[in-house]
Each structure stands twice: as structure tokens, then as C-alpha cells.
Amino acid sequence: MRLALLAIPAVRSAIELELGRRVEYLSSLPSTQDRARELGGSGSAPLVVVAEEQTAGRGTHGRSWLAPAGKALLASWLFRPAPAEAALFALLAGVAVARALDGLGISTALLKWPNDVEVGGNKVAGALAHATTDGEGGSLVLGIGVNVHQRREDFPPELRESATSLALAGHTVDRLSLLVRLTRELDRVAGPSERRLALDEWRRRATLLGQRVEVLREGRTAARGIARDIADDGALIVGDERIAAGEVRLQ
Ligand code: BTN
């Protein structure tokens, strides 16, 4: 099934029923994240915004998220109340992506702190979360980009060594099936009873735990040492330090 099928009202209704959330599907928009945040005013029901193309896709650390039209799964889910702190939920989203890929027969996904999903040693997906407080449990918008059909030349030259797609890793994946599985897995990790299991799964799939790493914040070294564990709030423990945010690389 193709993502564009969501443009057919009857198909979209069936998927909405299956997912228990409204689906907004657009062929092109600036950013699904911005759109879901815009729609996420108080009282709004659970929803997911999906697009074939973003003209101003957002990545972490203020970067852009680029993907040619029709080649990636680009979606943002609105959760109300917020299931967790934004940083923790973005990390748990990696587990949801890995489990969704498992369900599609791709069992090799690994997780790089904080929010990257890797296949074959390269980044295949990333997550971004924005939380809003409102005195009623707040809301959280979680955006995920999964590289599905890209070829090497679809990535900008500076990303060709570090990024990959499911297709490049040898997997043919239908984006609508991935959307459905991923939504189910996100709802699963959003449940408080699942939290410990999901964190343990994150640890099992972690690429960097037990390794000597360098943590960078705003381009500067913030810590160096062995990445020992993640805390229950998703912070990375490097040596004796708790790192709440940053980028990490092998030393
Ligand atoms: C990262 O930098 O690793 C996080 C990338 C998150 C990208 C997704 S694509 C769908 C959603 N809309 C956005 O503008 N960004 C997120």
C-alpha cells in the first residue's frame, strides 16, 4: 500500500479507525512538526500529520531535515497528555522505530544516543520532540523521519557517508505499513507500564554503551569517557557525568 492512498478519504478513514487518531495527509508542506504543533491547541484529539515532502523540515540542533518527495516517511504525532518529558520520549521513539522495523522483517536496527536509529552502521531515522505545558498534562509533538527509498545520490554530499535508507540497506518497505506499525509502537512506548522494558530494549540496541565517547555541545567537547548507561530520564551517563543533551561520537 502506498502512502498516497491516504489522499483517498475512505482509505484515510479506515486507517484513522485503525490508529485511533486523525490523520492529516499532505503532499507538500513546510514541516509536519510545525503543522502538528499548530493543530495541537488545547482540546485537540490525537492526530498524526504525514507528508510526502517538507520544504522546511526540522532536525535536531536547529538543523534542516532533507528528503526528496515521496522517498521518506515524514510524520509528526500529537500526544495529549504528554506521555513523558520530550527528551525521554524522543529516545523511546527510537525503540518504537526499531520495533516497527522488526515487524517488517528488519531486525538489525540499532540506537545511537539520543535519538538516532541506525541500520548497517548509518543513520536511517531520527526523532524530534516538542512539549507544551497547559496545566492539564500538556501535550507533546513527536516528529520522525525515516529514510525509506533514497538512493545514495538523494542525500546531500556531506551526508553520504553517514546516512542511509532502508532501500540502500537492502529492504523494500511500504511507507503506509511503516506508518501504521510505528504509530502502534509509539502508543505502546507511551504507556507508563512499558517504560522500563523500552529502556532496557534501548540499552540492548545501543551502539555506544561500554565505549569511549566524546560528547559535544554546541560544537564543543562537554565530556569524555566511557558511556556507561542511560538514566531513567534518558540522560547518558559518561564516566561520572550525566549528559542531558548533546551529540556523541566514538573517540
Ligand atoms: C534528527 O535530526 O535526527 C531528527 C529529525 C526529525 C525529522 C522529522 S521529519 C518529520 C518531522 N517534521 C520535521 O520537520 N521534522 C521531523
Side-chain angles (χ1 to χ4, degrees), residues 10-67:
V11 175
R12 201 167 56 246
S13 301
I15 299 277
E16 285 177 333
L17 208 62
E18 162 116 13
L19 298 182
R21 56 178 68 226
R22 188 159 80 73
V23 176
E24 180 165 297
Y25 168 79
L26 295 132
S27 53
S28 181
L29 86 176
S31 157
T32 60
Q33 195 74 357
D34 292 355
R35 179 68 182 148
R37 293 177 78 189
E38 199 176 288
L39 294 170
S42 65
S44 48
L47 71 97
V48 56
V49 179
V50 196
E52 298 284 355
E53 178 190 42
Q54 299 183 121
T55 54
R58 295 181 186 281
T60 49
H61 306 289
R63 299 194 182 111
S64 313
W65 183 265
L66 303 169

Short mmCIF file of all heavy atoms in Angstrom, two decimals, residues 10-67:
data_model
loop_
_atom_site.label_atom_id
_atom_site.label_comp_id
_atom_site.label_asym_id
_atom_site.label_seq_id
_atom_site.Cartn_x
_atom_site.Cartn_y
_atom_site.Cartn_z
N ALA A 10 -11.81 7.42 1.93
CA ALA A 10 -12.25 6.16 2.54
C ALA A 10 -11.06 5.40 3.14
O ALA A 10 -11.18 4.78 4.20
CB ALA A 10 -12.95 5.30 1.49
N VAL A 11 -9.92 5.46 2.44
CA VAL A 11 -8.73 4.77 2.96
C VAL A 11 -8.26 5.48 4.23
O VAL A 11 -7.95 4.85 5.25
CB VAL A 11 -7.59 4.75 1.91
CG1 VAL A 11 -6.32 4.14 2.50
CG2 VAL A 11 -8.02 4.02 0.66
N ARG A 12 -8.27 6.82 4.16
CA ARG A 12 -7.81 7.58 5.33
C ARG A 12 -8.71 7.28 6.54
O ARG A 12 -8.22 7.06 7.64
CB ARG A 12 -7.79 9.07 5.03
CG ARG A 12 -6.87 9.82 5.98
CD ARG A 12 -6.57 11.23 5.53
NE ARG A 12 -7.76 12.01 5.33
CZ ARG A 12 -8.18 12.47 4.15
NH1 ARG A 12 -7.48 12.24 3.06
NH2 ARG A 12 -9.28 13.17 4.05
N SER A 13 -10.02 7.22 6.31
CA SER A 13 -10.94 6.92 7.42
C SER A 13 -10.65 5.56 8.02
O SER A 13 -10.68 5.39 9.24
CB SER A 13 -12.40 6.91 6.95
OG SER A 13 -12.72 8.14 6.41
N ALA A 14 -10.39 4.58 7.15
CA ALA A 14 -10.12 3.22 7.66
C ALA A 14 -8.84 3.23 8.50
O ALA A 14 -8.79 2.62 9.57
CB ALA A 14 -9.98 2.25 6.49
N ILE A 15 -7.84 3.95 8.03
CA ILE A 15 -6.56 4.00 8.77
C ILE A 15 -6.77 4.77 10.08
O ILE A 15 -6.23 4.40 11.13
CB ILE A 15 -5.45 4.66 7.91
CG1 ILE A 15 -5.23 3.86 6.62
CG2 ILE A 15 -4.16 4.85 8.70
CD1 ILE A 15 -4.32 2.67 6.72
N GLU A 16 -7.57 5.83 10.03
CA GLU A 16 -7.83 6.61 11.26
C GLU A 16 -8.51 5.73 12.31
O GLU A 16 -8.17 5.78 13.49
CB GLU A 16 -8.72 7.82 10.94
CG GLU A 16 -7.95 8.91 10.23
CD GLU A 16 -8.82 10.11 9.83
OE1 GLU A 16 -10.04 9.93 9.63
OE2 GLU A 16 -8.26 11.21 9.72
N LEU A 17 -9.43 4.90 11.84
CA LEU A 17 -10.13 3.99 12.76
C LEU A 17 -9.13 3.01 13.37
O LEU A 17 -9.12 2.75 14.57
CB LEU A 17 -11.19 3.24 11.96
CG LEU A 17 -12.41 2.76 12.72
CD1 LEU A 17 -13.16 3.96 13.29
CD2 LEU A 17 -13.33 1.98 11.76
N GLU A 18 -8.28 2.49 12.52
CA GLU A 18 -7.28 1.51 12.95
C GLU A 18 -6.30 2.13 13.96
O GLU A 18 -5.92 1.50 14.94
CB GLU A 18 -6.54 1.04 11.69
CG GLU A 18 -5.21 0.38 11.95
CD GLU A 18 -5.20 -1.07 11.53
OE1 GLU A 18 -6.13 -1.48 10.83
OE2 GLU A 18 -4.25 -1.76 11.94
N LEU A 19 -5.92 3.39 13.72
CA LEU A 19 -4.91 4.02 14.57
C LEU A 19 -5.49 4.77 15.76
O LEU A 19 -4.76 5.16 16.66
CB LEU A 19 -4.07 5.01 13.74
CG LEU A 19 -3.28 4.42 12.58
CD1 LEU A 19 -2.47 5.51 11.90
CD2 LEU A 19 -2.37 3.30 13.08
N GLY A 20 -6.78 5.02 15.72
CA GLY A 20 -7.40 5.77 16.81
C GLY A 20 -6.92 7.21 16.85
O GLY A 20 -6.88 7.83 17.91
N ARG A 21 -6.56 7.74 15.72
CA ARG A 21 -6.19 9.17 15.67
C ARG A 21 -6.46 9.73 14.29
O ARG A 21 -6.46 9.00 13.30
CB ARG A 21 -4.73 9.39 16.07
CG ARG A 21 -3.69 8.61 15.29
CD ARG A 21 -2.29 8.96 15.74
NE ARG A 21 -1.97 8.51 17.08
CZ ARG A 21 -1.37 9.27 17.99
NH1 ARG A 21 -1.01 10.50 17.72
NH2 ARG A 21 -1.10 8.78 19.18
N ARG A 22 -6.71 11.03 14.26
CA ARG A 22 -6.96 11.69 12.99
C ARG A 22 -5.67 11.71 12.19
O ARG A 22 -4.58 11.85 12.76
CB ARG A 22 -7.45 13.12 13.27
CG ARG A 22 -7.92 13.86 12.07
CD ARG A 22 -8.83 14.99 12.50
NE ARG A 22 -8.10 16.17 12.98
CZ ARG A 22 -7.42 17.00 12.20
NH1 ARG A 22 -7.38 16.81 10.89
NH2 ARG A 22 -6.79 18.04 12.69
N VAL A 23 -5.82 11.54 10.87
CA VAL A 23 -4.64 11.56 10.00
C VAL A 23 -4.76 12.75 9.07
O VAL A 23 -5.75 12.88 8.34
CB VAL A 23 -4.54 10.27 9.16
CG1 VAL A 23 -3.37 10.34 8.18
CG2 VAL A 23 -4.40 9.04 10.06
N GLU A 24 -3.78 13.64 9.11
CA GLU A 24 -3.75 14.72 8.12
C GLU A 24 -2.62 14.39 7.14
O GLU A 24 -1.47 14.27 7.54
CB GLU A 24 -3.51 16.08 8.78
CG GLU A 24 -3.48 17.18 7.74
CD GLU A 24 -3.62 18.58 8.33
OE1 GLU A 24 -4.67 18.87 8.93
OE2 GLU A 24 -2.67 19.36 8.18
N TYR A 25 -2.99 14.23 5.88
CA TYR A 25 -2.02 13.85 4.84
C TYR A 25 -1.87 14.98 3.85
O TYR A 25 -2.86 15.49 3.31
CB TYR A 25 -2.49 12.57 4.14
CG TYR A 25 -1.70 12.27 2.89
CD1 TYR A 25 -0.44 11.69 2.96
CD2 TYR A 25 -2.22 12.58 1.63
CE1 TYR A 25 0.30 11.43 1.82
CE2 TYR A 25 -1.49 12.32 0.48
CZ TYR A 25 -0.23 11.74 0.59
OH TYR A 25 0.49 11.49 -0.55
N LEU A 26 -0.64 15.40 3.60
CA LEU A 26 -0.40 16.48 2.65
C LEU A 26 0.71 16.07 1.69
O LEU A 26 1.66 15.38 2.10
CB LEU A 26 0.04 17.74 3.40
CG LEU A 26 -1.05 18.31 4.32
CD1 LEU A 26 -0.52 18.61 5.68
CD2 LEU A 26 -1.66 19.53 3.68
N SER A 27 0.58 16.51 0.43
CA SER A 27 1.67 16.14 -0.49
C SER A 27 2.91 16.98 -0.19
O SER A 27 4.02 16.49 -0.25
CB SER A 27 1.22 16.28 -1.95
OG SER A 27 0.70 17.56 -2.14
N SER A 28 2.72 18.24 0.19
CA SER A 28 3.88 19.07 0.50
C SER A 28 3.49 20.11 1.54
O SER A 28 2.37 20.63 1.52
CB SER A 28 4.36 19.75 -0.79
OG SER A 28 5.50 20.54 -0.51
N LEU A 29 4.40 20.38 2.44
CA LEU A 29 4.18 21.43 3.45
C LEU A 29 5.54 21.81 4.00
O LEU A 29 6.53 21.12 3.74
CB LEU A 29 3.23 20.96 4.55
CG LEU A 29 3.76 20.19 5.76
CD1 LEU A 29 2.66 19.93 6.77
CD2 LEU A 29 4.48 18.94 5.41
N PRO A 30 5.63 22.91 4.74
CA PRO A 30 6.95 23.26 5.27
C PRO A 30 7.49 22.18 6.22
O PRO A 30 8.59 21.67 6.03
CB PRO A 30 6.70 24.59 5.99
CG PRO A 30 5.52 25.19 5.29
CD PRO A 30 4.65 24.01 4.92
N SER A 31 6.71 21.81 7.25
CA SER A 31 7.19 20.83 8.23
C SER A 31 5.99 20.18 8.92
O SER A 31 5.11 20.89 9.42
CB SER A 31 8.07 21.55 9.26
OG SER A 31 8.13 20.82 10.47
N THR A 32 5.98 18.85 8.98
CA THR A 32 4.88 18.17 9.68
C THR A 32 4.91 18.55 11.16
O THR A 32 3.88 18.60 11.83
CB THR A 32 4.97 16.64 9.55
OG1 THR A 32 6.21 16.19 10.11
CG2 THR A 32 4.87 16.18 8.11
N GLN A 33 6.12 18.81 11.67
CA GLN A 33 6.26 19.15 13.08
C GLN A 33 5.56 20.48 13.38
O GLN A 33 4.80 20.59 14.33
CB GLN A 33 7.77 19.25 13.41
CG GLN A 33 8.11 19.26 14.87
CD GLN A 33 7.96 17.87 15.50
OE1 GLN A 33 7.55 16.90 14.86
NE2 GLN A 33 8.26 17.79 16.76
N ASP A 34 5.81 21.46 12.52
CA ASP A 34 5.18 22.77 12.71
C ASP A 34 3.67 22.64 12.59
O ASP A 34 2.91 23.24 13.35
CB ASP A 34 5.69 23.78 11.67
CG ASP A 34 7.15 24.12 11.91
OD1 ASP A 34 7.71 23.65 12.91
OD2 ASP A 34 7.73 24.84 11.07
N ARG A 35 3.22 21.86 11.62
CA ARG A 35 1.77 21.70 11.38
C ARG A 35 1.09 21.02 12.59
O ARG A 35 0.04 21.45 13.05
CB ARG A 35 1.55 20.88 10.10
CG ARG A 35 0.12 20.63 9.76
CD ARG A 35 -0.62 21.89 9.37
NE ARG A 35 -2.02 21.62 9.08
CZ ARG A 35 -3.00 22.48 9.32
NH1 ARG A 35 -2.74 23.69 9.80
NH2 ARG A 35 -4.24 22.16 9.04
N ALA A 36 1.72 19.95 13.11
CA ALA A 36 1.11 19.26 14.25
C ALA A 36 1.10 20.17 15.48
O ALA A 36 0.14 20.16 16.25
CB ALA A 36 1.87 17.96 14.55
N ARG A 37 2.14 20.99 15.64
CA ARG A 37 2.16 21.91 16.78
C ARG A 37 1.07 22.98 16.63
O ARG A 37 0.44 23.37 17.59
CB ARG A 37 3.54 22.56 16.90
CG ARG A 37 4.61 21.55 17.29
CD ARG A 37 5.97 22.17 17.34
NE ARG A 37 6.17 22.94 18.56
CZ ARG A 37 7.21 23.73 18.77
NH1 ARG A 37 8.16 23.86 17.86
NH2 ARG A 37 7.32 24.38 19.91
N GLU A 38 0.87 23.39 15.39
CA GLU A 38 -0.16 24.38 15.10
C GLU A 38 -1.56 23.81 15.42
O GLU A 38 -2.41 24.48 15.98
CB GLU A 38 -0.06 24.64 13.60
CG GLU A 38 -0.65 25.88 13.02
CD GLU A 38 -0.29 25.87 11.52
OE1 GLU A 38 0.89 26.09 11.19
OE2 GLU A 38 -1.19 25.58 10.70
N LEU A 39 -1.75 22.51 15.05
CA LEU A 39 -3.06 21.88 15.26
C LEU A 39 -3.27 21.44 16.71
O LEU A 39 -4.37 21.07 17.09
CB LEU A 39 -3.20 20.64 14.37
CG LEU A 39 -3.25 20.90 12.87
CD1 LEU A 39 -3.13 19.59 12.10
CD2 LEU A 39 -4.54 21.62 12.49
N GLY A 40 -2.18 21.46 17.48
CA GLY A 40 -2.22 20.85 18.82
C GLY A 40 -2.69 21.77 19.91
O GLY A 40 -2.26 21.62 21.05
N GLY A 41 -3.59 22.69 19.61
CA GLY A 41 -4.13 23.57 20.65
C GLY A 41 -4.91 22.76 21.69
O GLY A 41 -5.17 21.58 21.48
N SER A 42 -5.28 23.40 22.76
CA SER A 42 -5.91 22.65 23.85
C SER A 42 -7.21 22.01 23.35
O SER A 42 -7.94 22.58 22.54
CB SER A 42 -6.18 23.56 25.04
OG SER A 42 -7.11 24.52 24.66
N GLY A 43 -7.44 20.79 23.82
CA GLY A 43 -8.66 20.09 23.45
C GLY A 43 -8.54 19.29 22.16
O GLY A 43 -9.44 18.53 21.82
N SER A 44 -7.43 19.46 21.42
CA SER A 44 -7.35 18.74 20.14
C SER A 44 -7.14 17.24 20.39
O SER A 44 -6.49 16.84 21.34
CB SER A 44 -6.24 19.31 19.27
OG SER A 44 -5.08 19.43 20.03
N ALA A 45 -7.73 16.46 19.52
CA ALA A 45 -7.69 15.00 19.64
C ALA A 45 -6.35 14.48 19.12
O ALA A 45 -5.64 15.19 18.40
CB ALA A 45 -8.83 14.41 18.84
N PRO A 46 -6.00 13.23 19.44
CA PRO A 46 -4.76 12.65 18.92
C PRO A 46 -4.75 12.71 17.39
O PRO A 46 -5.78 12.47 16.75
CB PRO A 46 -4.82 11.19 19.37
CG PRO A 46 -5.80 11.15 20.48
CD PRO A 46 -6.74 12.28 20.29
N LEU A 47 -3.62 13.02 16.85
CA LEU A 47 -3.56 13.09 15.39
C LEU A 47 -2.14 12.79 14.93
O LEU A 47 -1.20 12.79 15.73
CB LEU A 47 -4.00 14.46 14.88
CG LEU A 47 -3.10 15.66 15.11
CD1 LEU A 47 -2.25 15.94 13.90
CD2 LEU A 47 -3.93 16.90 15.40
N VAL A 48 -2.04 12.52 13.64
CA VAL A 48 -0.72 12.39 13.02
C VAL A 48 -0.75 13.15 11.70
O VAL A 48 -1.72 13.06 10.94
CB VAL A 48 -0.29 10.90 12.85
CG1 VAL A 48 -1.30 10.08 12.06
CG2 VAL A 48 1.08 10.81 12.18
N VAL A 49 0.27 13.96 11.49
CA VAL A 49 0.41 14.71 10.24
C VAL A 49 1.49 14.00 9.42
O VAL A 49 2.59 13.74 9.92
CB VAL A 49 0.84 16.16 10.50
CG1 VAL A 49 0.99 16.92 9.19
CG2 VAL A 49 -0.18 16.86 11.41
N VAL A 50 1.15 13.67 8.17
CA VAL A 50 2.07 12.93 7.30
C VAL A 50 2.23 13.68 5.99
O VAL A 50 1.24 14.21 5.47
CB VAL A 50 1.50 11.54 6.93
CG1 VAL A 50 2.58 10.63 6.39
CG2 VAL A 50 0.80 10.89 8.08
N ALA A 51 3.43 13.73 5.48
CA ALA A 51 3.63 14.44 4.21
C ALA A 51 4.58 13.66 3.30
O ALA A 51 5.45 12.93 3.77
CB ALA A 51 4.20 15.83 4.48
N GLU A 52 4.39 13.87 2.01
CA GLU A 52 5.31 13.28 1.03
C GLU A 52 6.60 14.10 0.97
O GLU A 52 7.67 13.56 0.66
CB GLU A 52 4.68 13.30 -0.38
CG GLU A 52 3.40 12.50 -0.53
CD GLU A 52 3.65 11.00 -0.61
OE1 GLU A 52 4.82 10.56 -0.64
OE2 GLU A 52 2.65 10.26 -0.64
N GLU A 53 6.45 15.41 1.25
CA GLU A 53 7.61 16.30 1.09
C GLU A 53 7.52 17.45 2.09
O GLU A 53 6.43 17.96 2.34
CB GLU A 53 7.60 16.89 -0.32
CG GLU A 53 8.72 17.85 -0.58
CD GLU A 53 8.54 18.60 -1.91
OE1 GLU A 53 7.40 19.01 -2.22
OE2 GLU A 53 9.54 18.78 -2.59
N GLN A 54 8.67 17.82 2.65
CA GLN A 54 8.74 19.00 3.51
C GLN A 54 9.68 20.01 2.85
O GLN A 54 10.75 19.65 2.36
CB GLN A 54 9.30 18.65 4.88
CG GLN A 54 8.46 17.64 5.65
CD GLN A 54 9.01 17.35 7.03
OE1 GLN A 54 8.34 17.56 8.03
NE2 GLN A 54 10.23 16.88 7.10
N THR A 55 9.26 21.28 2.87
CA THR A 55 10.13 22.30 2.27
C THR A 55 11.00 22.98 3.33
O THR A 55 11.91 23.72 3.01
CB THR A 55 9.28 23.36 1.54
OG1 THR A 55 8.30 23.87 2.47
CG2 THR A 55 8.57 22.76 0.34
N ALA A 56 10.67 22.74 4.60
CA ALA A 56 11.48 23.31 5.69
C ALA A 56 11.50 22.32 6.86
O ALA A 56 11.18 22.68 8.00
CB ALA A 56 10.92 24.66 6.12
N GLY A 57 11.86 21.06 6.55
CA GLY A 57 11.88 20.01 7.57
C GLY A 57 12.88 20.34 8.67
O GLY A 57 13.97 20.83 8.39
N ARG A 58 12.51 20.05 9.90
CA ARG A 58 13.36 20.38 11.04
C ARG A 58 14.08 19.15 11.58
O ARG A 58 13.47 18.11 11.79
CB ARG A 58 12.51 20.93 12.19
CG ARG A 58 11.84 22.22 11.86
CD ARG A 58 11.04 22.71 13.06
NE ARG A 58 10.29 23.89 12.70
CZ ARG A 58 10.83 25.10 12.62
NH1 ARG A 58 12.11 25.28 12.90
NH2 ARG A 58 10.10 26.13 12.28
N GLY A 59 15.36 19.31 11.83
CA GLY A 59 16.13 18.28 12.51
C GLY A 59 16.51 18.76 13.89
O GLY A 59 16.11 19.85 14.30
N THR A 60 17.26 17.96 14.61
CA THR A 60 17.71 18.37 15.94
C THR A 60 18.80 19.43 15.81
O THR A 60 19.39 19.61 14.73
CB THR A 60 18.26 17.17 16.73
OG1 THR A 60 19.17 16.48 15.89
CG2 THR A 60 17.15 16.22 17.14
N HIS A 61 19.08 20.13 16.89
CA HIS A 61 20.14 21.16 16.96
C HIS A 61 19.95 22.24 15.90
O HIS A 61 20.93 22.76 15.36
CB HIS A 61 21.54 20.53 16.84
CG HIS A 61 21.77 19.44 17.84
ND1 HIS A 61 21.95 19.69 19.18
CD2 HIS A 61 21.81 18.09 17.72
CE1 HIS A 61 22.11 18.55 19.83
NE2 HIS A 61 22.02 17.56 18.97
N GLY A 62 18.68 22.54 15.58
CA GLY A 62 18.39 23.61 14.64
C GLY A 62 18.77 23.30 13.19
O GLY A 62 18.76 24.18 12.34
N ARG A 63 19.08 22.03 12.93
CA ARG A 63 19.45 21.66 11.55
C ARG A 63 18.21 21.44 10.71
O ARG A 63 17.11 21.34 11.22
CB ARG A 63 20.27 20.36 11.55
CG ARG A 63 21.55 20.50 12.33
CD ARG A 63 22.48 19.34 12.02
NE ARG A 63 23.68 19.47 12.82
CZ ARG A 63 24.02 18.66 13.83
NH1 ARG A 63 23.27 17.61 14.12
NH2 ARG A 63 25.12 18.87 14.53
N SER A 64 18.41 21.34 9.38
CA SER A 64 17.30 21.00 8.48
C SER A 64 17.24 19.49 8.34
O SER A 64 18.24 18.80 8.54
CB SER A 64 17.53 21.56 7.08
OG SER A 64 17.93 22.87 7.15
N TRP A 65 16.04 19.02 7.96
CA TRP A 65 15.89 17.58 7.65
C TRP A 65 15.45 17.51 6.20
O TRP A 65 14.38 18.00 5.85
CB TRP A 65 14.86 16.94 8.58
CG TRP A 65 14.72 15.46 8.35
CD1 TRP A 65 13.81 14.84 7.56
CD2 TRP A 65 15.54 14.42 8.92
NE1 TRP A 65 13.99 13.48 7.59
CE2 TRP A 65 15.05 13.19 8.42
CE3 TRP A 65 16.62 14.40 9.79
CZ2 TRP A 65 15.61 11.97 8.78
CZ3 TRP A 65 17.17 13.18 10.15
CH2 TRP A 65 16.66 11.98 9.64
N LEU A 66 16.30 16.94 5.37
CA LEU A 66 16.04 16.95 3.92
C LEU A 66 15.68 15.56 3.43
O LEU A 66 16.31 14.58 3.82
CB LEU A 66 17.32 17.40 3.18
CG LEU A 66 17.89 18.76 3.58
CD1 LEU A 66 19.27 18.95 2.97
CD2 LEU A 66 16.94 19.87 3.16
N ALA A 67 14.69 15.50 2.56
CA ALA A 67 14.36 14.23 1.90
C ALA A 67 13.59 14.55 0.63
O ALA A 67 12.65 15.35 0.66
CB ALA A 67 13.50 13.36 2.82
#
